[in-house]
Amino acid sequence: MKHVTIKDVAKRLNVSVSSVSRAFNDKYDIKKETKELILRTAKEMGYHPNPIARKLMQQKSYNIGVVVPEFINEFFSETIIGIQDVLISKGYQVLIMQSNEHYENELMNVKTLSDNMVDGLIVSLSRETHNTEFYLKLLAEGYPIIFFNRINDSLPASKVIFNDFKWSFFATEHLIKQGFKKIYHLSGQNHLSLAKNRMKGFQKAIEKYDMSPEENRVIETGLLMDEGDKITQELIDNQDLPEAFSCVNDPVALGAMRALKRNKIKIPEEVGVVGFTETRLADLVDPSLTSVKQPTYEIGKTTAELLLKQINNGFKTPETVSLDGQLNIRASSVRKTIA
Amino acid sequence: MKHVTIKDVAKRLNVSVSSVSRAFNDKYDIKKETKELILRTAKEMGYHPNPIARKLMQQKSYNIGVVVPEFINEFFSETIIGIQDVLISKGYQVLIMQSNEHYENELMNVKTLSDNMVDGLIVSLSRETHNTEFYLKLLAEGYPIIFFNRINDSLPASKVIFNDFKWSFFATEHLIKQGFKKIYHLSGQNHLSLAKNRMKGFQKAIEKYDMSPEENRVIETGLLMDEGDKITQELIDNQDLPEAFSCVNDPVALGAMRALKRNKIKIPEEVGVVGFTETRLADLVDPSLTSVKQPTYEIGKTTAELLLKQINNGFKTPETVSLDGQLNIRASSVRKTIA
DNA sequence: CTGTTAGCGCCTTCAG
DNA sequence: CTGAAGGCGCTAACAG
């Protein structure tokens, strides 16, 4: 438990502590043999530099804070893996905190982390976060922060996002090409840029194929399975069912499917469904769910790389990286008989 | 970006640094008014103690390392939340690493963490880990380590485990009470104590209800969905289908269900299924899956508390805490018509 | 190439 | 109750 220090090694070899230090930091001149000797005996003695002392000197914590809404969700855990892979390989440690979608928790987490002197921050905003004052203050101080996925357009920081517009367009286009005539978009709350963009992608596809925007409309639903279920049930009750649903995310799509199945409505024969941001669930449900796959690992990796760049080179002008995904077509949206 | 230090505060108030330090550490005598004055102006100036310097003094990192096989899996992410909740509230930071089920990664992670002077370690062993030498060495040095879930019985350390035997017994008993006559246990590899215990729980139930151990047998399957699917398909092909499956975990159960559904065999009317270690999936699949719920959050919490106790009070004798769960009965195992 | 010295920011005796 | 001084382990000038 007692740690060997640089002094112990120096004493043992009758050299100065600086020599030992130098042996462990290539950047200084030191005779090859002494260096090797030091390294060897240091290893024998079980010495290795105390990272905390080093951090104190360098005024760097080599800690990076990550704040996400949650990490039960596959999307975020996969992203975190990407973040960690990059950061750990560069000698950083990653401190992960979750806001549970609450602004207060998020703020507290960010404060805790900055109080702990993390060298940078990676943040995905909670659903509740409208007040971005604290981020603005940190950014003004030059604190490196990168946002991903749940972003706020107005923050002057670098961001990594998914091209929601484009892929929602493709998902909708796929439904149209499958011959579905009347399509509703079950959307998320409009203040989330992610939801807004998916909605716009849907509308763009409707427009492009000269379909009526009144008949192919948007219904604000939410992000949860129960919300998708509830809205779908209402549509069924009102005899207002479309031929297909383009959904803001997989939970809403699964909710819609649950309601449809409960009412013995066949998927995709009677109603087609596509989701967004697929999880492994997409393959497991019956019928399997067509969904847009986001490059989760890449998102994390890119975010971390952007952060490192900013830490090392200083803050230039914010850049926004937009990544692409893929549409995985499965049973829920493929008509057995195409008209 | 530039941090206010204890000196700045001292200078501003014309007091000594020690007074400022004392103001921030209740344990010393200091006049109430000066303390308040210091605290107030410190706050104004945006000062707060540099945790790194503090750590250097106290020879503590206030970091805890957590190594798990993975955290895409709900089980582990939920456990980690329990761990974090306890540890963060006590001023610790949690460094999470994953082994991806590989011994080498696990070893590297543990080394990285101990090199970074974590004050303690929480570990869930990878599937591959047979060699426990490094843990033995650390434990011998008095390094606080707690193991959970994936443990190795022979390690002289405290552990938090789930009572697999008992709950597998209950799951099987439930099937028996539902009137299923011929039950197979789809088990995991036998070298995992977790799989072994679930198998034994199954056998115990069969024994208790005087059912034939030849007819109600164990089939070594694995832990993956595809393995459950494959074995079930083989049983169907060989006309050797039981009336019910007790499965080592949910993926295997879901695999079995997939094979059954593909072959138009009705669940639970023709074949009942129960899983183990339920995920949110259990509720989503059709029919919903009966499974044993583990107290994931509690497991994490208990593990963290055990670790803190050991850090604060020193290592006494190892203790093993065994937690209980609950059997969530759903459609997959409930016979519409009970004999 | 190597040793000496002065901190990094804080805590903690030891005097007073 | 308060100040001065030493040191946690390491790095970075500065001499030599």
Side-chain angles (χ1 to χ4, degrees), chain B residues 22 107 124 137 152 159 176 270:
Chain B
R22 280 192 268 257
L107 189 63
S124 193
K137 199 182 125 218
N152 180 310
K159 293 154 197 157
I176 296 171
E270 296 175 70

Side-chain angles (χ1 to χ4, degrees), chain A residues 24-174:
Chain A
F24 278 88
N25 297 276
D26 314 302
K27 48 183 165 178
Y28 295 98
D29 292 335
I30 181 172
K31 196 165 37 170
K32 210 172 176 185
E33 301 139 44
T34 44
K35 175 169 171 177
E36 274 163 13
L37 177 65
I38 289 171
L39 253 28
R40 190 150 23 88
T41 51
K43 193 167 184 184
E44 271 175 39
M45 298 173 68
Y47 166 81
H48 75 110
N50 177 331
I52 297 177
R54 203 173 232 173
K55 288 169 183 174
L56 182 59
M57 266 302 310
Q58 301 183 191
Q59 299 285 66
K60 263 191 82 164
S61 70
Y62 283 97
N63 277 176
I64 300 293
V66 175
V67 182
V68 292
E70 41 144 343
F71 51 76
I72 296 288
N73 188 310
E74 266 172 55
F75 175 82
F76 287 109
S77 21
E78 288 174 5
T79 313
I80 288 171
I81 293 172
I83 293 174
Q84 286 199 330
D85 280 2
V86 171
L87 258 24
I88 290 176
S89 78
K90 298 291 180 191
Y92 285 84
Q93 290 174 156
V94 181
L95 305 177
I96 302 157
M97 308 196 78
Q98 49 180 352
S99 63
N100 290 312
E101 300 285 6
H102 292 311
Y103 170 65
E104 270 182 35
N105 292 343
E106 184 180 305
L107 189 64
M108 243 188 49
N109 290 341
V110 172
K111 279 189 174 151
T112 305
L113 289 167
S114 70
D115 282 0
N116 274 287
M117 314 192 69
V118 292
D119 296 337
L121 232 30
I122 290 176
V123 179
S124 193
L125 299 175
S126 87
R127 207 174 294 159
E128 269 182 26
T129 305
H130 296 93
N131 184 343
T132 56
E133 217 176 294
F134 195 70
Y135 292 115
L136 286 170
K137 198 182 123 215
L138 288 177
L139 288 166
E141 288 173 18
Y143 216 96
I145 311 180
I146 314 283
F147 295 87
F148 77 95
N149 184 251
R150 307 277 200 83
I151 63 160
N152 179 310
D153 290 321
S154 70
L155 283 167
S158 289
K159 294 154 196 154
V160 177
I161 54 173
F162 182 67
N163 199 326
D164 290 298
F165 176 83
K166 178 167 149 188
W167 288 97
S168 180
F169 174 89
F170 286 152
T172 309
E173 186 177 50
H174 158 70

